[in-house]
Amino acid sequence: NLKVSRSSATRFFIGVLVLLFLVGQVTPVAAEILDRTGFYFGAGASYVVERFDADSGNSSFVDFFSSSVTTDTQFDNGLGANVKAGYRIHPRFALELDILYTTGFSGPERTFLTVQGLPSVTAPGGGQDLKQGKLKFDGTAYTLNGKGYLLTGRIQPYINMGAGVLDGELGESSRTGFILRPGLGLDVYVTTHVLAYIEASYILGLGEFGHSTNNTFDMIPITLGVQYRF
């Protein structure tokens, strides 16, 4: 159960980004070659703000996995790990494959009707068994992103749009659905090959996880990472 406040995570990300920016200022970089084409690889850590429908009292969110939950569940925010690989095909545009693994979304101790994987307790008055435990959600988002750069110097803000799938697991049940992932970010070059990035995006569920089904797993990952450009 992760207890990381949004304000603490925000201060951490901003502090590290400022530090990397200051390091970049004292490291000579040839600005004219920072917008070159070529492959890149990156990895980072994410603080993930959950936007699950369960927070608004929609118990059908959990019914999507199992019709066993007797009450709505509010989840904690989670953490994640991000890897990406891409190719900058133009000074102003790149394509990348992005994988985001998220975990740590858990609710408070609750009582459920029979759910596989939770410890059993005796149901009052007999009848169907009850279970007690914390409902936990993990998910992995796979997206293909198009990235547009607004500037091409040492500091390069960008906007992106991705589409792909989300694999979600609630307890021992799992589902896969389509997602869209708009976002924005900032690349800060430390050398001609190494840069730091901070990125915020919105994972919007479609189809199986769409808002029309009231079974949404929307998230806002805020990622700080490092990239290497070949």
Side-chain angles (χ1 to χ4, degrees):
N1 189 14
L2 301 171
K3 297 293 183 182
V4 182
S5 70
R6 298 182 187 183
S7 60
S8 297
T10 301
R11 287 194 296 269
F12 170 76
F13 285 137
I14 292 176
V16 174
L17 185 62
V18 169
L19 177 62
L20 290 170
F21 172 73
L22 293 175
V23 171
Q25 293 303 300
V26 299
T27 305
V29 176
E32 65 274 8
I33 66 172
L34 298 181
D35 61 357
R36 67 189 185 278
T37 60
F39 289 99
Y40 63 88
F41 173 82
S46 305
Y47 179 71
V48 188
V49 180
E50 61 88 9
R51 301 291 294 169
F52 301 163
D53 246 2
D55 283 358
S56 60
N58 177 16
S59 61
S60 64
F61 159 86
V62 179
D63 293 341
F64 179 65
F65 283 93
S66 173
S67 59
S68 56
V69 176
T70 59
T71 182
D72 63 292
T73 301
Q74 183 171 353
F75 289 78
D76 295 330
N77 293 331
L79 296 179
N82 172 239
V83 294
K84 58 178 63 185
Y87 187 82
R88 191 156 177 168
I89 61 179
H90 184 273
R92 297 279 184 174
F93 186 74
L95 286 175
E96 66 181 24
L97 175 64
D98 189 293
I99 302 175
L100 174 69
Y101 172 73
T102 63
T103 188
F105 303 104
S106 63
E109 194 81 13
R110 297 288 180 124
T111 300
F112 307 88
L113 295 179
T114 303
V115 181
Q116 184 179 10
L118 295 178
S120 298
V121 297
T122 304
Q128 191 172 10
D129 286 345
L130 298 181
K131 306 266 185 167
Q132 285 186 332
K134 292 183 177 181
L135 199 62
K136 297 182 180 181
F137 173 79
D138 296 326
T140 303
Y142 305 88
T143 56
L144 179 63
N145 303 335
K147 180 185 293 186
Y149 295 90
L150 305 179
L151 298 174
T152 58
R154 179 191 293 271
I155 300 175
Q156 300 184 6
Y158 61 85
I159 56 176
N160 59 14
M161 172 60 77
V165 296
L166 172 66
D167 286 334
E169 295 185 359
L170 195 66
E172 296 184 5
S173 300
S174 62
R175 291 290 189 278
T176 300
F178 292 104
I179 56 172
L180 291 178
R181 189 177 175 183
L184 51 84
L186 186 70
D187 288 347
V188 179
Y189 279 80
V190 179
T191 72
T192 56
H193 292 285
V194 178
L195 63 93
Y197 70 93
I198 186 168
E199 180 179 293
S201 59
Y202 193 100
I203 295 178
L204 176 68
L206 302 173
E208 294 276 3
F209 297 140
H211 286 249
S212 61
T213 66
N214 293 322
N215 297 307
T216 60
F217 290 79
D218 291 0
M219 312 175 206
I220 304 175
I222 303 169
T223 303
L224 180 67
V226 177
Q227 284 184 24
Y228 183 85
R229 294 199 59 192
F230 295 93

